[in-house]
Amino acid sequence: MGNKKDSAREKNRRRFNEELAFMDRGRSDYRNTTCTEHFTCKVCDTLILPESAGSQHRNHCSKCLSSIHVDIEPGDRSSVCRGIMDPISVWVRKNGEWAIIHRCRICGELVSNRIAADDNPALLMSIAVKPLAMPPFPLGLLEQEATKGR
């Protein structure tokens, strides 16, 4: 019985290594070059074209703001995870530029991606105000604290 388990493990290991080798053959590296690839969003099925992003590196859907976990370093396309990255927050960089925080559904990794010119502004704003709309404490406490100071 041990031989069947060992052969199944070996077969899975061999298939995994073949998939990695296949991915490496066709993999592009966009750390130093422009990304001109279009893609169909895995969440909302929107066709995404890089030309409308306003930058040389489109990495998320302009409609639903979701992404795919493809990079270990920005642009390297070397992650084997390939999980859907959900937009969970936004933050403002030192220069005033907004960026989206994505979290991978599979491995939980957090990644920051700059927004693009054609990103859905209503969705960006709803993500930005979500912490204000859902505070971690009852809003009545704010009123109580305000009246204490008088």
Side-chain angles (χ1 to χ4, degrees):
M1 187 102 151
N3 286 340
K4 283 186 179 182
K5 277 187 179 179
D6 290 341
S7 65
R9 278 191 195 132
E10 185 57 36
K11 183 178 177 181
N12 286 338
R13 186 177 301 122
R14 195 171 41 248
R15 189 174 73 225
F16 178 75
N17 288 334
E18 288 169 0
E19 287 175 8
L20 282 178
F22 176 77
M23 286 173 26
D24 279 346
R25 263 183 275 148
R27 189 182 72 189
S28 299
D29 188 327
Y30 296 115
R31 288 177 286 188
N32 299 310
T33 61
T34 300
C35 177
T36 58
E37 292 179 13
H38 68 280
F39 62 92
T40 300
C41 178
K42 301 281 190 228
V43 174
C44 70
D45 275 341
T46 300
L47 177 63
I48 304 300
L49 305 173
E51 297 83 26
S52 55
S55 87
Q56 297 180 358
H57 301 283
R58 161 59 77 194
N59 58 12
H60 60 272
C61 175
S62 58
K63 183 177 176 184
C64 72
L65 306 180
S66 296
S67 186
I68 299 294
H69 192 181
V70 294
D71 295 338
I72 292 175
E73 293 179 33
D76 70 3
R77 300 298 194 258
S78 60
S79 174
V80 295
C81 179
R82 299 299 195 254
I84 291 174
M85 303 283 283
D86 293 314
I88 61 165
S89 187
V90 295
W91 70 289
V92 181
R93 295 177 173 178
K94 286 181 184 179
N95 63 1
E97 178 183 55
W98 278 35
I100 303 169
I101 303 294
H102 286 100
R103 179 177 47 218
C104 181
R105 290 182 187 178
I106 293 176
C107 70
E109 179 152 346
L110 297 173
V111 178
S112 174
N113 290 303
R114 60 192 297 208
I115 66 166
D118 61 344
D119 282 349
N120 181 338
L123 187 52
L124 281 170
M125 290 304 292
S126 71
I127 291 170
V129 301
K130 191 173 185 178
L132 296 174
M134 300 172 66
F137 50 82
L139 287 176
L141 290 177
L142 288 177
E143 187 176 324
Q144 289 175 4
E145 290 298 316
T147 57
K148 279 185 186 177
R150 292 182 188 173

